[in-house]
Amino acid sequence: MKDLTSLALDVAKTYGATYADIRIIEEQSESISIKNGRVEDASTSTNYGFGVRVIADGAWGFAGSFRVEKQEIERVARLAVDIAKASALIKKENVVLAPAPVIQDTYRTPIEIDPFSISLEDKLTLLSAAEEAVRKTPGVAIATASMDISKQHKIFASLDGSYIEQYITESGAALDAIAIAGGEIQERSYPNSHGGDTATSGYEFIMNLHLADHAQRIGEEAAALLKAKECPSGEFTVILDGSQLALQVHESCGHPAEFDRVLGMEASYAGTSFVTIDKLRELQYGSPIVNINSDATIPSALGTFGYDDEGIPAQRFDIVRNGIFVNYLTSRETGPILAETSNGCMRADGWNRIPLIRMTSVNLLPGNSSLEEMIADVKDGLYLATNRSWSIDDKRLNFQFATQIGWEIKNGKLGAMVKNPNYTGITPEFWNSCDAIAGPDEWKVWGLANCGKGEPTQIAHVAHGAAPARFRNVKVGVGR
């Protein structure tokens, strides 16, 4: 492929580019789902193409094509430069890139079992066993089991001299139980809602989920929710499970820390950010026990890779340290605004999209408590688990989350199950109310494969590590 990448870079430079990079990407994916005993989807797809990004006359230009051949690469490289020169006519200032290391390397997701080496029959057998166990649980009306796998071969080359090949493999699965009665619908999911859990891993990740072992439990919980009492309204001490906290971190910490939102470069999809530059290293984002980092190096996390789509090595850095906001997610273009280099967060969801600042793995670091200890220290509260829905404003300040299930906490012990729980808050107030976080033994990384951003929309695969944590004086049961 080096002859093709060199051709693109040479053409772009000759035509007037002062910077250029090319990404050639081949992706293969497979989706399988079973619903109420019937196979609803068993599809495979492939995607192959390239994108050329350039700077000419101080402005960006980008173009791509699915025809990976010399003549087309020459045309697209020239087109990208033409677009940059046209964009330069209305630029306010020249694009300035932070320096990047020159890298020649190959990165592969460590896997034990290639998910594409497993037969469709074996995959259906695994899913069918779990789906059948859910479906046969009394009270369950709809049972669904699904699996998604993919592998991507990415080549990045730049005028700086980098040439990087990456082989990224992802595997994930989900199980859902829906109970319906009297016009009411209740749902329980395993291992998480909204698509289950996914990792940069091989088929061993799906096997280790042991879907069938959890099928009867989630079926029984879905049915039990129909008869459970409504979650109470008022201010309570709330303990959130790790999966719900993963989404809380994503929406109220990860997105606000994306520096392109702060600069107003990204606003049309999900708004900007309340964490303006004057708040850097000044804002008390959370209580002193709240530590949040970005880490693209965690083994098997969905936000893990070798290099971002600007060729910057995967990194780990603090976003919130001892409660203080200390860092943004940046790129080669935005890093210099802070007198810094890129911290490696630029990614695109395919060859035909220009990279944006995206989360990698943004994590709430573990504390020194435990779920059992946190419950024991609550006289009247709630334990809420598994996201059901959410909304958050365009500045990422005011939010509301609903969970699939909850339990009362009375005098230090878990009590009755409650249904339709939700809670609301303002981001800094909420995180400053955190007074306990469970330790490393209860910390888990959750994959989130549907993070949307940009226009046209790009979907990023990210991850969030979290353990159960406790928050005081949270408004619960709003809207009733």
Side-chain angles (χ1 to χ4, degrees), residues 340-363:
E340 298 174 356
T341 57
S342 168
N343 50 33
C345 295
M346 284 288 272
R347 290 191 291 159
D349 78 349
W351 55 265
N352 58 349
R353 296 288 184 264
I354 195 166
L356 302 172
I357 293 176
R358 305 308 299 262
M359 285 177 260
T360 59
S361 294
V362 175
N363 315 291

Side-chain angles (χ1 to χ4, degrees), residues 148-175:
D148 290 281
I149 60 174
S150 68
K151 60 181 179 182
Q152 194 178 61
H153 178 204
K154 303 170 65 172
I155 296 173
F156 171 88
S158 73
L159 269 182
D160 294 334
S162 288
Y163 186 89
I164 300 167
E165 287 195 68
Q166 297 191 82
Y167 297 84
I168 308 290
T169 301
E170 298 179 354
S171 302
L175 194 59

Side-chain angles (χ1 to χ4, degrees), residues 127-442:
L127 291 178
S128 294
E131 184 275 336
E132 183 178 11
V134 173
R135 177 164 35 92
K136 291 187 174 179
T137 304
V140 172
I142 300 174
T144 307
S146 60
M147 180 186 302
D148 290 281
I149 60 174
S150 68
K151 60 181 179 182
Q152 194 178 61
H153 178 204
K154 303 170 65 172
I155 296 173
F156 171 88
S158 73
L159 269 182
D160 294 334
S162 288
Y163 186 89
I164 300 167
E165 287 195 68
Q166 297 191 82
Y167 297 84
I168 308 290
T169 301
E170 298 179 354
S171 302
L175 194 59
D176 287 281
I178 295 178
I180 305 173
E184 181 178 351
I185 299 173
Q186 294 292 342
E187 181 177 10
R188 287 292 288 139
S189 306
Y190 173 82
N192 199 0
S193 53
H194 312 307
D197 198 9
T198 306
T200 50
S201 182
Y203 195 70
E204 66 275 8
F205 178 80
I206 293 174
M207 296 173 64
N208 290 334
L209 290 176
H210 301 293
L211 293 179
D213 293 347
H214 297 268
Q216 183 175 341
R217 175 182 62 81
I218 67 164
E220 291 174 347
E221 288 179 351
L225 280 168
L226 292 173
K227 300 177 181 178
K229 61 181 180 180
E230 287 285 339
C231 180
S233 299
E235 281 197 359
F236 290 92
T237 294
V238 168
I239 298 174
L240 300 177
D241 83 319
S243 68
Q244 171 58 29
L245 266 173
L247 189 61
Q248 181 82 48
V249 168
H250 178 89
E251 301 293 349
S252 68
C253 303
H255 278 312
E258 294 167 344
F259 198 39
D260 54 350
R261 292 189 188 278
V262 177
L263 298 173
M265 299 165 67
E266 164 65 18
S268 57
Y269 196 122
T272 58
S273 171
F274 76 97
V275 193
T276 48
I277 294 177
D278 59 300
K279 295 182 176 63
L280 182 62
R281 291 183 277 275
E282 298 290 337
L283 176 65
Q284 187 74 43
Y285 207 100
S287 66
I289 66 168
V290 172
N291 289 282
I292 297 169
N293 74 2
S294 175
D295 189 350
T297 70
I298 300 173
S300 299
L302 196 57
T304 291
F305 47 80
Y307 303 89
D308 78 352
D309 286 337
E310 290 190 314
I312 303 298
Q315 297 177 33
R316 177 175 58 196
F317 57 90
D318 292 337
I319 296 174
V320 175
R321 184 186 305 133
N322 299 326
I324 304 296
F325 181 78
V326 296
N327 235 327
Y328 294 105
L329 311 177
T330 65
S331 62
R332 289 189 67 186
E333 181 181 6
T334 59
I337 297 172
L338 300 168
E340 298 174 356
T341 57
S342 168
N343 50 33
C345 295
M346 284 288 272
R347 290 191 291 159
D349 78 349
W351 55 265
N352 58 349
R353 296 288 184 264
I354 195 166
L356 302 172
I357 293 176
R358 305 308 299 262
M359 285 177 260
T360 59
S361 294
V362 175
N363 315 291
L364 173 64
L365 300 186
N368 56 14
S369 186
S370 71
L371 178 59
E372 183 178 15
E373 290 171 347
M374 287 188 285
I375 291 173
D377 195 29
V378 176
K379 183 177 181 181
D380 185 14
L382 293 158
Y383 174 50
L384 309 181
T386 317
N387 184 262
R388 183 175 187 174
S389 66
W390 74 97
S391 65
I392 188 165
D393 70 21
D394 282 355
K395 293 289 187 181
R396 302 277 156 182
L397 266 173
N398 296 278
F399 61 78
Q400 177 179 319
F401 288 90
T403 63
Q404 289 186 344
I405 196 168
W407 289 268
E408 291 179 331
I409 303 173
K410 298 291 186 184
N411 299 315
K413 295 183 179 179
L414 278 184
M417 178 185 294
V418 295
K419 64 183 176 184
N420 304 326
N422 65 39
Y423 64 95
T424 188
I426 298 173
T427 296
E429 293 180 6
F430 176 79
W431 285 105
N432 273 285
S433 76
C434 181
D435 75 341
I437 304 172
D441 289 346
E442 297 177 64

